[in-house]
Amino acid sequence: MAKIKLNKKDLRILDELDKNPNISTNELAKKAGVSRQVAEYRLNRLLSQNTIYAFYTLVDTGKLGYSLFRVHIRLKNVTKEVYRKFAKELFSEHPSMWVAIMSGSFDLIWDVFAKTPNEFKNLLSKVVEKNREIIQSCETLIALNLSIYQYGYFLREEKNRRKITFNENIANLSLDNKDKKILHILKLNSRTPYEVIGRKVLLTRNAVKHRIQKLEKNGIIAGYNMLINFAHLDKQSFKIFIKYNNLKKDQENNLLQYIEQTPGILATLQLFGKWDLDIEIHKGNITELQEFIMELRNKFEIIENYEIVHIIEDFGIDFYPNKLM
């Protein structure tokens, strides 16, 4: 496959979309210093070549009464085709937020929503029973809250980046069918015009706008983000799992603040279980990553243990899966 080449105009457009994924095409052109036609053409090209996968809506399912659970799965010696088929089924057949193949001490990460621990336990038991011929072992954790950051590295390495945190508090807000349909339209394309949504849900433009504003005010829509193909930026994607030294727990806030200021950090997920923190990061190579880890360990004694895994392939991200309906 030919290598994707991005020039300065592409990077300026990506930088503006990184700051505001829902920016209008006219405003995008103005801020990127190009004509509207050029901005529209380049945006469409970035989408068609999958440099940009999607403009997704961050739906805080915690506000709807759901908790997020994490499963690390070790598979038996099976073919790549079996791996991928199993991963696709996990993502499509369950209320899954994210499924990805890893290189490390386990093979798959599965993030899945459930109302209660018992509901999650029953779901996991069914998956293990159905796939006992390929699953070797499972490790489960509870996700406490998730923070997602803007990329902040297209033109320069930005330290003060936008952060959206959600799944912090469990509530039981309700949605009617119109709101549910709007969220399902927006979740993978937050740039969808009000008029287009209105035609699909049989509402006026203003009614759609009002409903979206209400979803934002109630925190059900936590924010918006752009999902990119990191390989097109000569980056690799890694996860770092950190176990805390509980005697140094007072350092946690300082550690998190330092991580927030580190360019390339994409997300942090606080966990309960074997690991306390999951950091997702983009780096140019493993050497850069190792330097970051060493710097982190030297600064913070709270880090008792860590593990690095390389994200090989993911099968999508969905903050409002159809299976929640």
Side-chain angles (χ1 to χ4, degrees), residues 42-136:
R42 287 181 178 266
L43 173 56
N44 289 335
R45 189 176 67 177
L46 289 167
L47 286 163
S48 65
Q49 70 192 22
N50 287 330
T51 298
I52 300 173
Y53 284 130
F55 295 100
Y56 58 85
T57 299
L58 303 176
V59 180
D60 189 345
T61 52
K63 296 290 192 300
L64 305 176
Y66 290 92
S67 295
L68 182 64
F69 296 86
R70 159 70 58 84
V71 187
H72 294 170
I73 302 174
R74 185 72 176 174
L75 297 178
K76 297 177 182 178
N77 292 327
V78 294
T79 65
K80 180 180 179 180
E81 289 70 27
V82 173
Y83 267 48
R84 298 187 80 255
K85 181 175 182 292
F86 175 55
K88 287 180 178 180
E89 287 177 355
L90 282 180
F91 188 69
S92 63
E93 295 183 4
H94 305 288
S96 303
M97 187 185 84
W98 189 62
V99 176
I101 293 177
M102 302 286 151
S103 174
S105 63
F106 53 91
D107 302 301
L108 284 174
I109 285 182
W110 178 32
D111 289 336
V112 60
F113 295 111
K115 284 274 190 179
T116 65
N118 280 339
E119 183 180 300
F120 164 69
K121 179 183 176 182
N122 292 335
L123 174 58
L124 179 60
S125 296
K126 290 177 182 177
V127 169
V128 171
E129 178 63 29
K130 179 182 177 182
N131 298 280
R132 61 172 55 253
E133 292 183 359
I134 64 171
I135 294 178
Q136 180 173 312

Side-chain angles (χ1 to χ4, degrees), residues 6-7 15 31 47 75 103 128 131 150 159 192 203 211 236 238 245 249 260-261 270 276 288 298 305 319:
L6 303 175
N7 63 24
D15 187 62
K31 288 183 175 293
L47 286 163
L75 297 178
S103 174
V128 171
N131 298 280
Q150 71 179 85
K159 287 193 173 182
T192 306
L203 289 173
R211 282 175 175 265
Q236 297 182 56
F238 301 92
N245 177 343
K249 196 74 185 299
E260 288 177 10
Q261 296 297 311
Q270 293 180 281
D276 296 294
E288 290 182 12
N298 289 334
N305 193 15
F319 292 97

Side-chain angles (χ1 to χ4, degrees), residues 282-298:
H282 280 179
K283 286 292 182 183
N285 52 58
I286 191 68
T287 302
E288 290 182 12
L289 180 67
Q290 203 63 47
E291 289 173 356
F292 168 68
I293 288 288
M294 292 302 103
E295 182 179 9
L296 212 59
R297 292 180 67 193
N298 289 334

Side-chain angles (χ1 to χ4, degrees), residues 244-255 302:
Y244 290 160
N245 177 343
N246 288 324
L247 297 178
K248 305 288 184 179
K249 196 74 185 299
D250 59 314
Q251 293 184 9
E252 182 179 21
N253 286 336
N254 290 335
L255 170 66
I302 189 175

Side-chain angles (χ1 to χ4, degrees), residues 267-281:
T268 54
L269 178 64
Q270 293 180 281
L271 298 164
F272 179 77
K274 178 181 178 180
W275 302 104
D276 296 294
L277 183 65
D278 166 359
I279 303 169
E280 186 168 342
I281 185 170

